[in-house]
Every structure is written in C-alpha cells, then in structure tokens.
C-alpha cells in the first residue's frame, strides 16, 4: 500500500510491508528528468523521523543535479526497518517500491547499503542506477569532487604550497577515508577526527597526519575544515569555535540553517556549498545509469573548477546565494 502526500511539486511515497518495514521514497521534483538519489538504511527512532530525513535529502539531490548540469530531478529513498532485517530480506520490498514508480525514481546506494549489495540485484529492476551491470562505489567519486574543490581553493584562494595547507577532516568513514587518502597522497597536512577511533588506524603513523581528540577537535586551527560525517555540525552555537578560513567537505547540509551560512560570511569564512563539493557521486551515478564511460564521467567531475570560477569566490557575495541563483535559473528554464 502506498500513501501519497503532495506538496507543490514534491511527493512522498510510503510503501508499507510486513515486519513493520517501510520503503519511503521522496521525489523533490522531476523538472530536469527522473529523480535520482541514494537509498539509505539506518536506525530511525520513528517513521516520522525517516520521512523528515528523506524529504531533506531529496531536496539536496535537486540542488546537486541542477548545479552540475545533470538531466535528473532530486529524489531519495530511506528504508524504515525497526526490526533490523537484513538487506537480503528487504530486497523484494525495495524492488517492489522502486518499480511501482515506473522510472520516476532511480535508486543508488547510500548509508547502510553498499554498492556491492546493489550489484548483486542490478538485473532485478531497470530503475537501479547500475542497471547496465556492476558499478564502482560512487563514494570514490564523491571524495574526488571534494578533493578537486580543495585543490582549487589551495591554488586560487589560499595560494600556499600544499605542504603548508592543513585540512581538518571530520568523519573518516568510507567517503571521508577516501578523501583523507587523496589529501595525504597530494602532500597536504591532514588532521583527522572520528567518534569511531578505529577509522583513524590506516593513517596513524603517516608523517602528515595528526589525530584529534573529541574534546578539542572542533576548535583546532586549520586552513580548511572538511566535514565528512552527519550534517548539522556547524550551528549557531558551534560556529564561534571555528578556527579556519574555508569549509569544504562531503557531508550533506553541514550548516544547520541559512542563517549559519550567512554568519560564516560575516566571519570571513569561505563556505563551498556541499552540493557542489560532494557532487561527484551523483555525477557518477547519473553517468552510469545513462551508459557513459568512467573516463567521460571523470571529465565531467573535473569540470568542477569551472563551476567554482562562476561563483566568483573572491567577491563579497555569499557563494551559496550565487549557486542557488544558478540552480533556480536552470530549473525555471526546464
């Protein structure tokens, strides 16, 4: 059974199944093409929390697809799974739900669901991003786009040697780990923090890596702060403890509100919108869905420097505002 909640051009589809499982798909819009987004399976305290999460995430996907010039709308799927069934047990429900939307939503992987899980079932639906066969992990490309943004900032804004630039990475999970490795390989100085200390192990002992502790990690001085964990880490309360020049990371919605983004500008902290810096994953997913080669997809990701140029980062304008204007212009023309 599906419940449809309509609000302007936004719709939420709630598919309820046995064992209290619900597959919840949020379509933010279809202006530019089928909605594309990952599928998240994590613990939610209630179905209402899951619905709120999927709505916010699908809106972020609209911004990502539009700003990067993709012919995709914004969407997201979360699986409410209070009895902690395995993905294998839930797979029939998941496939049934995405097939029921007849191509309005294209599903990728996200938190709690690996690309390997989707590769095993890629033939079960034409509405999986990897419908043509086994795909690589999109998080590799998410890390790559964030890295390219940092490279642009280093050479055009900070204008310092890489070995003199310190980047603080918060969250060394799958994608943050990949970004950290790229930064160290490029000779940056990297500070790392994660509440799960074992994620730091691969980097301990590296001469350019400094682990941070939970008491002081946030206020530790750096050139670039790269949030790569859950969103909302920069708030009206925590912003006063920031000690950096630039924020550029992978986390979705690292700022709790637009007011916080505006405060960053007042504090002369440059904020690269997350939907730009973490866009590599959706660029890859869209490209693979449409049958493009990895080489051509990477060319698209590497054009991110041109996008940053269009934001005029050296002006007094808030880059987020400029980016949103570009997005609204593209959506209005569709």
């Amino acid at each position: 059974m599906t419940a449809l909640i309509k609000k302007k051009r936004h719709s939420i589809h709630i598919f309820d199944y046995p064992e209290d499982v619900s597959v919840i798909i949020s379509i933010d819009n279809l202006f530019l093409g089928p909605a594309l987004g990952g599928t998240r399976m994590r613990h939610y305290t209630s179905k209402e929390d899951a619905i709120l999460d999927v709505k916010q995430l699908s809106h972020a996907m609209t911004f990502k697809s539009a700003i990067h010039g993709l012919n995709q709308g914004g969407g997201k799927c979360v699986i409410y799974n209070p009895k902690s069934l395995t993905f294998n047990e839930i797979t029939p429900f998941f496939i049934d739900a995405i097939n029921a939307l007849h191509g309005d939503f294209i599903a990728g992987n996200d938190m709690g669901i690996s690309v390997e899980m989707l590769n095993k079932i890629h033939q079960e639906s034409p509405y999986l991003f990897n419908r043509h066969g086994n795909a690589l992990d999109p998080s590799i490309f998410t890390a790559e786009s964030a890295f390219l943004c940092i490279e642009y900032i280093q050479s055009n804004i900070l204008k310092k040697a890489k070995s003199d630039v310190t980047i603080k990475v918060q969250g060394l999970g799958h994608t943050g780990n990949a970004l950290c490795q790229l930064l160290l390989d490029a000779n940056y100085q990297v500070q790392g923090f994660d509440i799960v200390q074992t994620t730091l192990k691969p980097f301990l002992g590296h001469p350019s890596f400094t682990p941070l502790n939970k008491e002081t990690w946030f206020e530790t001085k750096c050139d670039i702060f790269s949030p790569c964990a859950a969103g909302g880490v920069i708030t009206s309360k925590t912003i006063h403890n920031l000690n950096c020049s630039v924020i550029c990371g992978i986390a979705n919605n690292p700022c709790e509100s637009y007011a916080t983004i505006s405060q960053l500008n007042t504090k002369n902290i440059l904020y690269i919108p997350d939907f730009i810096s973490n866009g590599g994953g959706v660029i890859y997913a869209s490209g693979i869905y449409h049958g493009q080669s990895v080489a051509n997809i990477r060319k698209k990701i590497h054009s991110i420097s041109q996008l940053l140029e269009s934001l005029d980062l050296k002006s007094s304008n808030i880059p987020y505002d400029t980016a949103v204007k570009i997005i609204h212009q593209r959506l209005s023309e569709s």
Side-chain angles (χ1 to χ4, degrees):
M1 179 180 181
T2 177
L4 178 62
I5 306 169
K6 288 188 176 180
K7 184 179 180 182
K8 296 183 179 179
R9 295 173 177 85
H10 177 262
S11 61
I12 294 183
H13 305 259
I14 305 172
F15 299 85
D16 295 322
Y17 296 100
E19 303 296 332
D20 297 326
V21 171
S22 292
V23 178
I24 307 169
I25 299 173
S26 175
I27 296 177
D28 190 62
N29 73 74
L30 298 169
F31 291 158
L32 300 174
L36 171 66
T39 302
R40 177 171 291 196
M41 187 168 69
R42 47 155 285 207
H43 173 72
Y44 291 100
T45 56
S46 67
K47 187 185 290 189
E48 289 70 27
D49 286 342
I51 292 172
L52 178 61
D53 193 33
V54 78
K55 286 173 65 177
Q56 293 174 336
L57 291 168
S58 68
H59 187 61
M61 293 306 299
T62 289
F63 276 33
K64 287 185 197 184
S65 291
I67 196 69
H68 290 288
L70 304 178
N71 294 321
Q72 307 284 171
K76 202 76 174 183
C77 175
V78 302
I79 297 175
Y80 179 63
N81 180 23
K83 295 183 180 179
S84 300
L85 274 65
T86 67
F87 184 67
N88 284 343
E89 293 172 306
I90 288 173
T91 293
F93 307 150
F94 170 59
I95 294 297
D96 178 72
I98 61 174
N99 284 347
L101 297 182
H102 305 291
D104 278 353
F105 176 69
I106 308 303
N109 65 297
D110 194 15
M111 187 184 300
I113 297 177
S114 68
V115 71
E116 290 79 14
M117 292 176 181
L118 293 191
N119 282 340
K120 290 179 181 178
I121 62 170
H122 73 86
Q123 293 180 318
E124 296 188 28
S125 173
Y127 310 125
L128 293 170
F129 89 99
N130 56 340
R131 59 178 176 164
H132 297 297
N134 288 348
L136 299 172
D137 190 339
S139 69
I140 299 169
F141 301 90
T142 302
E144 189 171 331
S145 62
F147 174 74
L148 290 169
C149 287
I150 289 171
E151 289 270 89
Y152 180 90
I153 293 163
Q154 173 264 325
S155 60
N156 293 278
I157 305 298
L158 299 178
K159 297 183 178 180
K160 296 163 63 175
K162 294 180 183 181
S163 58
D164 293 330
V165 175
T166 300
I167 300 158
K168 177 167 57 183
V169 179
Q170 176 235 352
L172 292 174
H174 200 50
T175 314
N177 185 296
L179 175 60
C180 190
Q181 191 62 62
L182 288 170
L183 293 169
L184 290 172
D185 289 346
N187 205 31
Y188 288 99
Q189 301 298 312
V190 179
Q191 302 165 338
F193 171 75
D194 197 303
I195 55 174
V196 181
Q197 289 291 298
T198 54
T199 62
L200 277 64
K201 282 187 177 180
F203 308 107
L204 296 178
H206 192 290
S208 297
F209 181 81
T210 303
L212 302 177
N213 62 58
K214 64 180 180 180
E215 286 79 21
T216 60
W217 76 268
F218 192 86
E219 58 263 34
T220 299
K221 185 178 181 180
C222 61
D223 294 296
I224 301 172
F225 172 34
S226 186
C228 299
V233 68
I234 303 167
T235 70
S236 57
K237 293 181 179 179
T238 63
I239 193 171
H240 304 293
N241 294 323
L242 281 173
N243 195 355
C244 62
S245 301
V246 181
I247 295 170
C248 178
I250 287 169
N252 289 311
N253 304 316
C255 298
E256 69 171 352
S257 66
Y258 177 77
T260 309
I261 294 172
S262 183
Q263 276 185 280
L264 289 173
N265 193 62
T266 302
K267 290 172 65 68
N268 292 318
I269 297 175
L270 174 63
Y271 170 57
I272 304 300
D274 53 289
F275 47 82
I276 292 178
S277 57
N278 66 17
V282 72
I283 294 172
Y284 172 74
S286 177
I288 288 298
Y289 178 76
H290 291 290
Q292 297 174 13
S293 68
V294 172
N296 284 337
I297 291 169
R298 278 211 154 96
K299 286 181 183 178
K300 175 72 173 175
I301 294 172
H302 278 253
S303 69
I304 202 164
S305 60
Q306 298 169 25
L307 178 55
L308 292 173
E309 283 284 350
S310 71
L311 299 184
D312 193 12
L313 299 179
K314 296 178 183 178
S315 74
S316 60
N317 296 327
I318 300 176
Y320 180 91
D321 291 345
T322 307
V324 169
K325 287 179 182 177
I326 294 171
I327 291 167
H328 287 167
Q329 179 66 29
R330 183 154 191 255
L331 292 174
S332 68
E333 293 172 352
S334 62

